[in-house]
Short mmCIF file of all heavy atoms in Angstrom, two decimals:
data_model
loop_
_atom_site.label_atom_id
_atom_site.label_comp_id
_atom_site.label_asym_id
_atom_site.label_seq_id
_atom_site.Cartn_x
_atom_site.Cartn_y
_atom_site.Cartn_z
N SER B 210 4.47 -23.92 -49.90
CA SER B 210 4.76 -23.92 -48.40
C SER B 210 5.94 -24.79 -47.97
O SER B 210 6.00 -25.92 -48.37
CB SER B 210 3.40 -24.57 -47.74
OG SER B 210 3.55 -24.57 -46.35
N GLY B 211 6.81 -24.04 -47.14
CA GLY B 211 8.00 -24.74 -46.76
C GLY B 211 9.07 -24.95 -47.80
O GLY B 211 10.07 -25.55 -47.61
N LYS B 212 8.87 -24.49 -48.97
CA LYS B 212 9.82 -24.71 -50.17
C LYS B 212 10.85 -23.58 -50.15
O LYS B 212 10.73 -22.54 -49.63
CB LYS B 212 8.99 -24.74 -51.40
CG LYS B 212 7.98 -25.89 -51.49
CD LYS B 212 8.44 -27.21 -51.66
CE LYS B 212 7.49 -28.31 -51.56
NZ LYS B 212 6.57 -28.18 -52.83
N ARG B 213 11.88 -23.96 -50.79
CA ARG B 213 12.99 -23.04 -51.23
C ARG B 213 12.82 -22.80 -52.67
O ARG B 213 12.93 -23.56 -53.52
CB ARG B 213 14.32 -23.61 -50.86
CG ARG B 213 14.47 -23.70 -49.29
CD ARG B 213 15.90 -24.46 -49.04
NE ARG B 213 17.08 -23.72 -49.42
CZ ARG B 213 17.52 -22.73 -48.72
NH1 ARG B 213 16.85 -22.29 -47.59
NH2 ARG B 213 18.55 -22.05 -49.22
N VAL B 214 12.53 -21.45 -52.96
CA VAL B 214 12.11 -21.11 -54.38
C VAL B 214 13.01 -20.01 -54.99
O VAL B 214 13.48 -19.07 -54.34
CB VAL B 214 10.68 -20.42 -54.23
CG1 VAL B 214 10.21 -20.05 -55.62
CG2 VAL B 214 9.72 -21.35 -53.64
N VAL B 215 13.28 -20.22 -56.22
CA VAL B 215 14.11 -19.32 -57.04
C VAL B 215 13.19 -18.71 -58.12
O VAL B 215 12.57 -19.52 -58.95
CB VAL B 215 15.37 -19.85 -57.62
CG1 VAL B 215 15.97 -18.79 -58.67
CG2 VAL B 215 16.41 -20.22 -56.51
N VAL B 216 12.98 -17.34 -58.05
CA VAL B 216 12.29 -16.73 -59.13
C VAL B 216 13.15 -16.04 -60.03
O VAL B 216 14.03 -15.21 -59.63
CB VAL B 216 11.23 -15.73 -58.70
CG1 VAL B 216 10.48 -14.98 -59.69
CG2 VAL B 216 10.23 -16.33 -57.68
N ILE B 217 13.10 -16.34 -61.38
CA ILE B 217 14.16 -15.77 -62.34
C ILE B 217 13.48 -14.77 -63.09
O ILE B 217 12.43 -15.02 -63.82
CB ILE B 217 14.65 -16.78 -63.25
CG1 ILE B 217 15.42 -17.98 -62.43
CG2 ILE B 217 15.59 -16.29 -64.38
CD1 ILE B 217 16.03 -19.08 -63.29
N GLY B 218 13.82 -13.51 -62.94
CA GLY B 218 13.21 -12.39 -63.59
C GLY B 218 12.55 -11.36 -62.71
O GLY B 218 11.91 -11.77 -61.65
N ILE B 219 12.72 -10.12 -62.98
CA ILE B 219 12.22 -9.03 -61.96
C ILE B 219 11.26 -8.16 -62.59
O ILE B 219 11.17 -6.97 -62.16
CB ILE B 219 13.43 -8.24 -61.27
CG1 ILE B 219 13.00 -7.54 -59.93
CG2 ILE B 219 14.15 -7.41 -62.32
CD1 ILE B 219 14.11 -7.00 -59.21
N GLY B 220 10.53 -8.62 -63.53
CA GLY B 220 9.34 -7.84 -63.97
C GLY B 220 8.26 -7.76 -63.03
O GLY B 220 8.33 -8.13 -61.84
N ASN B 221 7.09 -7.34 -63.42
CA ASN B 221 5.97 -7.13 -62.58
C ASN B 221 5.40 -8.56 -62.00
O ASN B 221 5.10 -8.73 -60.91
CB ASN B 221 4.91 -6.27 -63.22
CG ASN B 221 5.22 -4.90 -63.06
OD1 ASN B 221 5.38 -4.23 -61.96
ND2 ASN B 221 5.32 -4.16 -64.23
N SER B 222 5.29 -9.43 -63.02
CA SER B 222 4.92 -10.86 -62.65
C SER B 222 5.85 -11.47 -61.72
O SER B 222 5.45 -12.03 -60.65
CB SER B 222 4.60 -11.70 -63.86
OG SER B 222 3.66 -11.26 -64.60
N GLY B 223 7.13 -11.42 -61.94
CA GLY B 223 8.20 -12.03 -61.05
C GLY B 223 8.15 -11.49 -59.75
O GLY B 223 8.20 -12.18 -58.80
N SER B 224 8.04 -10.12 -59.61
CA SER B 224 7.92 -9.47 -58.32
C SER B 224 6.73 -9.93 -57.53
O SER B 224 6.67 -10.20 -56.37
CB SER B 224 7.85 -7.96 -58.41
OG SER B 224 9.12 -7.61 -59.23
N ASP B 225 5.47 -9.90 -58.26
CA ASP B 225 4.38 -10.46 -57.61
C ASP B 225 4.39 -11.76 -57.05
O ASP B 225 4.10 -12.12 -55.88
CB ASP B 225 3.12 -10.34 -58.52
CG ASP B 225 2.57 -8.97 -58.77
OD1 ASP B 225 2.94 -7.94 -58.01
OD2 ASP B 225 1.69 -8.75 -59.63
N ILE B 226 4.99 -12.71 -57.89
CA ILE B 226 5.19 -14.16 -57.44
C ILE B 226 6.06 -14.27 -56.34
O ILE B 226 5.98 -15.07 -55.42
CB ILE B 226 5.51 -15.06 -58.71
CG1 ILE B 226 4.36 -14.89 -59.69
CG2 ILE B 226 5.94 -16.36 -58.32
CD1 ILE B 226 4.76 -15.47 -61.12
N ALA B 227 7.23 -13.48 -56.33
CA ALA B 227 8.10 -13.60 -55.31
C ALA B 227 7.63 -13.17 -53.90
O ALA B 227 7.76 -13.72 -52.85
CB ALA B 227 9.41 -12.78 -55.55
N VAL B 228 6.85 -12.07 -54.09
CA VAL B 228 6.20 -11.54 -52.75
C VAL B 228 5.22 -12.47 -52.25
O VAL B 228 5.20 -12.84 -50.99
CB VAL B 228 5.61 -10.12 -53.06
CG1 VAL B 228 4.73 -9.76 -51.93
CG2 VAL B 228 6.70 -8.98 -53.24
N GLU B 229 4.42 -12.99 -53.10
CA GLU B 229 3.25 -13.89 -52.66
C GLU B 229 3.70 -15.22 -52.18
O GLU B 229 3.36 -15.70 -51.08
CB GLU B 229 2.26 -14.07 -53.72
CG GLU B 229 1.09 -14.95 -53.44
CD GLU B 229 0.01 -15.00 -54.40
OE1 GLU B 229 0.33 -15.39 -55.60
OE2 GLU B 229 -1.12 -14.60 -54.11
N SER B 230 4.79 -15.72 -52.90
CA SER B 230 5.44 -16.99 -52.44
C SER B 230 6.04 -16.85 -51.05
O SER B 230 6.08 -17.89 -50.24
CB SER B 230 6.44 -17.57 -53.48
OG SER B 230 5.70 -17.66 -54.78
N SER B 231 6.71 -15.81 -50.83
CA SER B 231 7.59 -15.53 -49.64
C SER B 231 6.65 -15.68 -48.32
O SER B 231 7.20 -15.91 -47.27
CB SER B 231 8.21 -14.22 -49.68
OG SER B 231 7.40 -13.17 -49.54
N LYS B 232 5.36 -15.51 -48.54
CA LYS B 232 4.56 -15.65 -47.33
C LYS B 232 4.35 -17.02 -46.81
O LYS B 232 4.01 -17.41 -45.77
CB LYS B 232 3.11 -15.04 -47.62
CG LYS B 232 3.07 -13.52 -48.00
CD LYS B 232 1.76 -13.10 -48.48
CE LYS B 232 1.70 -11.60 -48.95
NZ LYS B 232 0.49 -11.28 -49.56
N PHE B 233 4.71 -18.00 -47.67
CA PHE B 233 4.51 -19.47 -47.42
C PHE B 233 5.83 -20.23 -47.50
O PHE B 233 6.04 -21.19 -46.82
CB PHE B 233 3.44 -20.07 -48.36
CG PHE B 233 2.19 -19.28 -48.29
CD1 PHE B 233 1.88 -18.26 -49.18
CD2 PHE B 233 1.18 -19.64 -47.37
CE1 PHE B 233 0.64 -17.59 -49.22
CE2 PHE B 233 0.05 -19.05 -47.31
CZ PHE B 233 -0.27 -17.96 -48.18
N ALA B 234 6.70 -19.80 -48.31
CA ALA B 234 7.96 -20.55 -48.61
C ALA B 234 9.01 -20.27 -47.50
O ALA B 234 8.93 -19.41 -46.86
CB ALA B 234 8.63 -20.01 -49.88
N GLU B 235 9.77 -21.35 -47.41
CA GLU B 235 10.86 -21.19 -46.41
C GLU B 235 11.88 -19.96 -46.73
O GLU B 235 12.19 -19.25 -45.96
CB GLU B 235 11.74 -22.49 -46.35
CG GLU B 235 12.90 -22.43 -45.36
CD GLU B 235 13.81 -23.61 -45.41
OE1 GLU B 235 13.21 -24.85 -45.62
OE2 GLU B 235 14.95 -23.53 -45.48
N GLN B 236 12.13 -19.90 -48.15
CA GLN B 236 13.00 -18.85 -48.64
C GLN B 236 12.68 -18.62 -50.11
O GLN B 236 12.60 -19.58 -50.87
CB GLN B 236 14.45 -19.14 -48.27
CG GLN B 236 15.38 -18.00 -48.88
CD GLN B 236 15.29 -16.83 -47.95
OE1 GLN B 236 15.49 -16.89 -46.72
NE2 GLN B 236 14.84 -15.73 -48.52
N VAL B 237 12.75 -17.46 -50.45
CA VAL B 237 12.57 -17.00 -51.86
C VAL B 237 13.77 -16.29 -52.22
O VAL B 237 14.25 -15.27 -51.63
CB VAL B 237 11.32 -16.21 -52.13
CG1 VAL B 237 11.35 -15.70 -53.57
CG2 VAL B 237 10.04 -17.05 -51.85
N TYR B 238 14.40 -16.63 -53.47
CA TYR B 238 15.51 -15.98 -54.12
C TYR B 238 15.00 -15.28 -55.33
O TYR B 238 14.20 -15.97 -56.06
CB TYR B 238 16.74 -16.84 -54.40
CG TYR B 238 17.33 -17.48 -53.10
CD1 TYR B 238 16.86 -18.76 -52.71
CD2 TYR B 238 18.33 -16.90 -52.54
CE1 TYR B 238 17.40 -19.27 -51.63
CE2 TYR B 238 18.96 -17.51 -51.36
CZ TYR B 238 18.50 -18.71 -50.97
OH TYR B 238 19.05 -19.40 -49.79
N MET B 239 15.37 -14.10 -55.65
CA MET B 239 14.84 -13.51 -56.87
C MET B 239 16.12 -13.23 -57.71
O MET B 239 16.96 -12.28 -57.23
CB MET B 239 13.95 -12.29 -56.55
CG MET B 239 13.30 -11.71 -57.69
SD MET B 239 12.17 -10.36 -57.23
CE MET B 239 11.25 -10.26 -58.60
N SER B 240 16.28 -13.67 -58.86
CA SER B 240 17.48 -13.57 -59.61
C SER B 240 17.16 -12.52 -60.73
O SER B 240 16.09 -12.62 -61.43
CB SER B 240 17.81 -14.84 -60.29
OG SER B 240 18.73 -14.58 -61.28
N THR B 241 17.96 -11.51 -60.89
CA THR B 241 17.81 -10.50 -61.84
C THR B 241 19.07 -10.20 -62.57
O THR B 241 20.22 -10.05 -61.97
CB THR B 241 17.25 -9.18 -61.20
OG1 THR B 241 17.28 -8.18 -62.25
CG2 THR B 241 18.09 -8.78 -60.03
N ARG B 242 18.94 -10.15 -63.98
CA ARG B 242 20.09 -9.87 -64.83
C ARG B 242 20.50 -8.48 -64.81
O ARG B 242 21.59 -8.11 -64.83
CB ARG B 242 19.81 -10.36 -66.21
CG ARG B 242 21.01 -10.27 -67.19
CD ARG B 242 20.73 -11.17 -68.36
NE ARG B 242 19.39 -11.20 -68.83
CZ ARG B 242 18.97 -11.92 -69.87
NH1 ARG B 242 19.79 -12.83 -70.40
NH2 ARG B 242 17.75 -11.75 -70.19
N GLY B 243 19.46 -7.56 -64.76
CA GLY B 243 19.86 -6.16 -64.91
C GLY B 243 19.26 -5.26 -63.81
O GLY B 243 19.36 -3.97 -63.95
N GLY B 244 18.58 -5.78 -62.84
CA GLY B 244 17.92 -4.95 -61.80
C GLY B 244 16.71 -4.18 -62.21
O GLY B 244 16.29 -4.49 -63.45
N ALA B 245 16.10 -3.44 -61.42
CA ALA B 245 14.89 -2.71 -61.85
C ALA B 245 14.74 -1.53 -60.85
O ALA B 245 15.01 -1.55 -59.62
CB ALA B 245 13.67 -3.67 -61.68
N TRP B 246 14.07 -0.51 -61.31
CA TRP B 246 13.46 0.60 -60.59
C TRP B 246 12.13 0.18 -60.00
O TRP B 246 11.35 -0.32 -60.80
CB TRP B 246 13.50 1.93 -61.34
CG TRP B 246 14.72 2.38 -61.73
CD1 TRP B 246 15.30 2.41 -62.90
CD2 TRP B 246 15.75 3.06 -60.91
NE1 TRP B 246 16.61 2.94 -62.83
CE2 TRP B 246 16.91 3.39 -61.56
CE3 TRP B 246 15.71 3.40 -59.42
CZ2 TRP B 246 18.01 4.03 -61.16
CZ3 TRP B 246 16.82 3.99 -58.94
CH2 TRP B 246 18.03 4.34 -59.77
N VAL B 247 12.00 0.32 -58.77
CA VAL B 247 10.61 -0.15 -58.07
C VAL B 247 9.91 1.03 -57.63
O VAL B 247 10.50 1.84 -56.85
CB VAL B 247 10.98 -1.19 -56.97
CG1 VAL B 247 9.73 -1.65 -56.34
CG2 VAL B 247 11.82 -2.39 -57.43
N ILE B 248 8.68 1.11 -58.08
CA ILE B 248 7.94 2.34 -57.71
C ILE B 248 6.67 1.87 -56.91
O ILE B 248 6.26 0.67 -57.01
CB ILE B 248 7.49 3.27 -58.73
CG1 ILE B 248 6.51 2.53 -59.69
CG2 ILE B 248 8.61 3.72 -59.44
CD1 ILE B 248 5.93 3.48 -60.80
N ARG B 249 6.09 2.63 -56.06
CA ARG B 249 4.84 2.28 -55.28
C ARG B 249 3.55 2.71 -55.99
O ARG B 249 3.57 3.74 -56.67
CB ARG B 249 4.97 3.03 -53.90
CG ARG B 249 6.14 2.77 -53.18
CD ARG B 249 5.95 3.38 -51.70
NE ARG B 249 5.78 4.85 -51.78
CZ ARG B 249 5.74 5.67 -50.71
NH1 ARG B 249 5.69 5.13 -49.47
NH2 ARG B 249 5.56 6.91 -50.83
N GLN B 250 2.56 2.08 -55.81
CA GLN B 250 1.28 2.24 -56.31
C GLN B 250 0.62 3.32 -55.52
O GLN B 250 -0.14 4.12 -56.01
CB GLN B 250 0.40 0.97 -56.23
CG GLN B 250 0.82 0.01 -57.25
CD GLN B 250 0.02 -1.29 -57.07
OE1 GLN B 250 0.47 -2.12 -56.26
NE2 GLN B 250 -1.05 -1.52 -57.79
N VAL B 251 0.98 3.47 -54.13
CA VAL B 251 0.28 4.41 -53.36
C VAL B 251 1.33 5.50 -53.17
O VAL B 251 2.47 5.47 -52.71
CB VAL B 251 0.13 3.84 -51.83
CG1 VAL B 251 -0.62 4.85 -51.04
CG2 VAL B 251 -0.79 2.59 -52.03
N SER B 252 0.86 6.73 -53.69
CA SER B 252 1.73 7.97 -53.77
C SER B 252 1.52 8.87 -52.56
O SER B 252 0.83 8.42 -51.56
CB SER B 252 1.63 8.64 -55.01
OG SER B 252 2.44 9.73 -55.17
N ASP B 253 1.91 10.12 -52.68
CA ASP B 253 1.80 11.10 -51.53
C ASP B 253 0.28 11.29 -51.23
O ASP B 253 -0.63 11.24 -52.10
CB ASP B 253 2.34 12.48 -51.99
CG ASP B 253 3.84 12.33 -52.53
OD1 ASP B 253 4.44 11.28 -52.13
OD2 ASP B 253 4.28 13.18 -53.26
N ASN B 254 -0.04 11.29 -50.00
CA ASN B 254 -1.43 11.66 -49.48
C ASN B 254 -2.27 10.35 -49.85
O ASN B 254 -3.55 10.56 -49.75
CB ASN B 254 -2.07 12.88 -50.00
CG ASN B 254 -1.11 14.04 -49.68
OD1 ASN B 254 -0.76 14.20 -48.58
ND2 ASN B 254 -0.90 14.90 -50.67
N GLY B 255 -1.70 9.20 -50.08
CA GLY B 255 -2.42 8.00 -50.44
C GLY B 255 -3.15 7.94 -51.79
O GLY B 255 -3.93 7.12 -52.02
N ILE B 256 -2.80 8.86 -52.65
CA ILE B 256 -3.27 8.91 -54.01
C ILE B 256 -2.61 7.88 -54.94
O ILE B 256 -1.53 7.72 -54.76
CB ILE B 256 -3.13 10.41 -54.64
CG1 ILE B 256 -3.72 11.42 -53.75
CG2 ILE B 256 -3.65 10.37 -56.09
CD1 ILE B 256 -5.18 11.37 -53.74
N PRO B 257 -3.56 7.19 -55.71
CA PRO B 257 -2.69 6.30 -56.76
C PRO B 257 -1.69 7.05 -57.43
O PRO B 257 -1.90 8.15 -57.93
CB PRO B 257 -3.95 5.84 -57.67
CG PRO B 257 -5.08 5.95 -56.83
CD PRO B 257 -4.96 7.21 -55.91
N VAL B 258 -0.45 6.52 -57.69
CA VAL B 258 0.59 7.21 -58.25
C VAL B 258 0.36 7.75 -59.59
O VAL B 258 0.88 8.89 -59.97
CB VAL B 258 1.87 6.25 -58.15
CG1 VAL B 258 1.77 5.06 -59.06
CG2 VAL B 258 3.15 7.10 -58.46
N ASP B 259 -0.33 6.96 -60.38
CA ASP B 259 -0.65 7.46 -61.82
C ASP B 259 -1.55 8.63 -61.82
O ASP B 259 -1.42 9.54 -62.66
CB ASP B 259 -1.03 6.37 -62.75
CG ASP B 259 -2.18 5.49 -62.13
OD1 ASP B 259 -2.79 5.86 -61.10
OD2 ASP B 259 -2.51 4.47 -62.78
N MET B 260 -2.44 8.80 -60.86
CA MET B 260 -3.40 9.92 -60.78
C MET B 260 -2.65 11.18 -60.40
O MET B 260 -3.04 12.24 -60.77
CB MET B 260 -4.56 9.54 -59.80
CG MET B 260 -5.56 8.59 -60.14
SD MET B 260 -6.66 9.12 -61.58
CE MET B 260 -7.68 10.13 -60.71
N LYS B 261 -1.56 10.96 -59.78
CA LYS B 261 -0.74 12.14 -59.25
C LYS B 261 0.21 12.64 -60.36
O LYS B 261 0.39 13.86 -60.41
CB LYS B 261 -0.04 11.83 -57.96
CG LYS B 261 0.66 12.99 -57.37
CD LYS B 261 1.20 12.82 -55.95
CE LYS B 261 1.88 13.88 -55.44
NZ LYS B 261 0.97 15.14 -55.07
N TYR B 262 0.86 11.70 -60.99
CA TYR B 262 1.96 12.17 -61.85
C TYR B 262 1.81 12.00 -63.36
O TYR B 262 2.47 12.57 -64.25
CB TYR B 262 3.24 11.19 -61.50
CG TYR B 262 3.89 11.61 -60.18
CD1 TYR B 262 3.71 10.83 -59.02
CD2 TYR B 262 4.47 12.76 -59.94
CE1 TYR B 262 4.30 11.12 -57.91
CE2 TYR B 262 5.00 13.22 -58.75
CZ TYR B 262 4.90 12.35 -57.70
OH TYR B 262 5.45 12.71 -56.46
N ASN B 263 0.70 11.17 -63.79
CA ASN B 263 0.47 11.07 -65.18
C ASN B 263 -0.41 12.22 -65.68
O ASN B 263 -1.58 12.00 -66.08
CB ASN B 263 -0.13 9.69 -65.39
CG ASN B 263 -0.17 9.34 -66.99
OD1 ASN B 263 0.47 10.11 -67.84
ND2 ASN B 263 -0.78 8.18 -67.38
N THR B 264 0.03 13.45 -65.69
CA THR B 264 -0.68 14.60 -66.03
C THR B 264 -0.23 15.25 -67.34
O THR B 264 0.99 14.99 -67.68
CB THR B 264 -0.63 15.63 -64.82
OG1 THR B 264 0.59 16.15 -64.77
CG2 THR B 264 -1.02 14.99 -63.46
N ARG B 265 -0.98 16.05 -67.90
CA ARG B 265 -0.60 16.69 -69.02
C ARG B 265 0.39 17.80 -68.77
O ARG B 265 1.39 18.01 -69.64
CB ARG B 265 -1.85 17.35 -69.69
CG ARG B 265 -1.63 17.70 -71.21
CD ARG B 265 -2.83 18.01 -71.89
NE ARG B 265 -3.78 16.89 -72.21
CZ ARG B 265 -3.47 16.02 -73.17
NH1 ARG B 265 -2.49 16.25 -74.05
NH2 ARG B 265 -4.17 14.95 -73.43
N PHE B 266 0.36 18.48 -67.68
CA PHE B 266 1.47 19.43 -67.19
C PHE B 266 2.75 18.64 -67.02
O PHE B 266 3.77 19.19 -67.70
CB PHE B 266 1.08 20.04 -65.84
CG PHE B 266 2.12 21.06 -65.41
CD1 PHE B 266 2.30 22.21 -66.12
CD2 PHE B 266 2.96 20.68 -64.35
CE1 PHE B 266 3.27 23.15 -65.65
CE2 PHE B 266 3.96 21.52 -63.90
CZ PHE B 266 4.04 22.86 -64.59
N VAL B 267 2.76 17.44 -66.49
CA VAL B 267 4.13 16.76 -66.38
C VAL B 267 4.57 16.40 -67.78
O VAL B 267 5.82 16.48 -68.04
CB VAL B 267 3.92 15.59 -65.49
CG1 VAL B 267 5.06 14.56 -65.59
CG2 VAL B 267 3.63 15.93 -64.01
N HIS B 268 3.61 15.95 -68.69
CA HIS B 268 3.96 15.58 -69.95
C HIS B 268 4.64 16.78 -70.72
O HIS B 268 5.55 16.61 -71.49
CB HIS B 268 2.75 15.13 -70.68
CG HIS B 268 2.96 14.79 -72.15
ND1 HIS B 268 3.74 13.76 -72.59
CD2 HIS B 268 2.53 15.48 -73.24
CE1 HIS B 268 3.74 13.74 -73.94
NE2 HIS B 268 3.10 14.75 -74.36
N ILE B 269 4.04 17.98 -70.60
CA ILE B 269 4.65 19.23 -71.27
C ILE B 269 6.09 19.42 -70.68
O ILE B 269 6.95 19.75 -71.49
CB ILE B 269 3.69 20.47 -71.06
CG1 ILE B 269 2.42 20.30 -71.80
CG2 ILE B 269 4.40 21.61 -71.33
CD1 ILE B 269 1.33 21.25 -71.34
N LEU B 270 6.22 19.27 -69.42
CA LEU B 270 7.61 19.49 -68.89
C LEU B 270 8.59 18.49 -69.46
O LEU B 270 9.71 18.84 -69.75
CB LEU B 270 7.55 19.30 -67.32
CG LEU B 270 6.91 20.48 -66.52
CD1 LEU B 270 6.99 20.03 -65.02
CD2 LEU B 270 7.51 21.72 -66.71
N PHE B 271 8.14 17.33 -69.76
CA PHE B 271 9.08 16.27 -70.34
C PHE B 271 9.49 16.64 -71.80
O PHE B 271 10.50 16.34 -72.26
CB PHE B 271 8.31 14.88 -70.42
CG PHE B 271 8.58 14.04 -69.21
CD1 PHE B 271 7.94 14.17 -68.05
CD2 PHE B 271 9.65 13.05 -69.35
CE1 PHE B 271 8.24 13.29 -66.97
CE2 PHE B 271 9.85 12.26 -68.35
CZ PHE B 271 9.16 12.32 -67.12
N GLN B 272 8.52 17.39 -72.42
CA GLN B 272 8.84 17.98 -73.84
C GLN B 272 9.84 19.20 -73.78
O GLN B 272 10.67 19.36 -74.67
CB GLN B 272 7.53 18.47 -74.59
CG GLN B 272 6.40 17.54 -74.50
CD GLN B 272 6.74 16.03 -75.00
OE1 GLN B 272 7.33 15.85 -76.03
NE2 GLN B 272 6.59 15.06 -74.12
#
Side-chain angles (χ1 to χ4, degrees):
S210 184
K212 301 287 178 65
R213 295 171 64 80
V214 180
V215 173
V216 178
I217 298 175
I219 197 174
N221 282 299
S222 294
S224 301
D225 280 354
I226 292 168
V228 165
E229 185 171 58
S230 300
S231 72
K232 297 171 185 175
F233 302 92
E235 178 189 318
Q236 183 64 62
V237 174
Y238 299 90
M239 193 173 192
S240 166
T241 168
R242 186 162 38 188
W246 294 104
V247 180
I248 68 175
R249 298 186 305 181
Q250 289 170 277
V251 183
S252 185
D253 307 339
N254 304 314
I256 302 292
V258 66
D259 48 11
M260 290 290 282
K261 186 169 181 68
Y262 291 108
N263 195 6
T264 70
R265 197 164 287 280
F266 177 72
V267 168
H268 176 70
I269 291 169
L270 289 181
F271 266 83
Q272 313 306 306

